[in-house]
Amino acid sequence: MMELTRKGEYAIRGIVYLAQQPPGKIALISEIAEATDVPQTFLAKIFQSFAKLGLVQSFRGTGGGFLLGRSPSQITLRQVVEAVEGPIMPNRCLIDEGMCDRSARCLVHPVWRKVQGEVGKILDDVTLEDLAKT
């Protein structure tokens, strides 16, 4: 993943909105969708992925909705992006070392590894707490 898909963009919008809510306030999926201009059914699927990973808590029934699964300072942008986009991959050769028969002697392979590491570090350094403030 080098280019963020629409799914990734929607995921970030939705969870940042959640991080901007007062602590303990449960937000309805319809409210989040409307506030972030994201289709509700699409956002519901994204939030199901978040719930499986503990990024959000899901509450069913009357008064149901979503709440951050932990403090906004404990959720990184990388966790959010990778929850919906999968691991950061600047080149397909990093997905599976055996995918390319040149990886052992490829001069660019270490560069892709470095790019992957740097992008990961940048996304790890940004939390929902940071994003909710701006």
Side-chain angles (χ1 to χ4, degrees), residues 33-61:
E34 188 176 333
T36 58
D37 197 27
V38 174
Q40 186 173 326
T41 51
F42 202 1
L43 193 63
K45 286 180 184 162
I46 290 168
F47 271 56
Q48 284 171 356
S49 299
F50 286 163
K52 284 179 190 160
L53 295 169
L55 296 179
V56 300
Q57 282 184 288
S58 172
F59 299 91
R60 296 189 179 279

Side-chain angles (χ1 to χ4, degrees), residues 16-27 31 57 59 66-73 129 132:
V16 168
Y17 175 82
L18 210 55
Q20 291 170 328
Q21 302 314 299
K25 180 189 179 285
I26 296 172
E31 171 196 335
Q57 282 184 288
F59 299 91
F66 294 91
L67 194 60
L68 281 184
R70 49 188 183 262
S71 162
S73 65
E129 183 178 54

Side-chain angles (χ1 to χ4, degrees), residues 55-97:
L55 296 179
V56 300
Q57 282 184 288
S58 172
F59 299 91
R60 296 189 179 279
T62 310
F66 294 91
L67 194 60
L68 281 184
R70 49 188 183 262
S71 162
S73 65
Q74 300 299 310
I75 299 174
T76 67
L77 187 53
R78 180 177 186 163
Q79 291 169 331
V80 172
V81 169
E82 289 190 342
V84 293
E85 300 281 13
I88 295 160
M89 293 292 159
N91 191 333
R92 61 190 173 88
C93 67
L94 296 177
I95 297 168
D96 177 13
E97 296 292 334

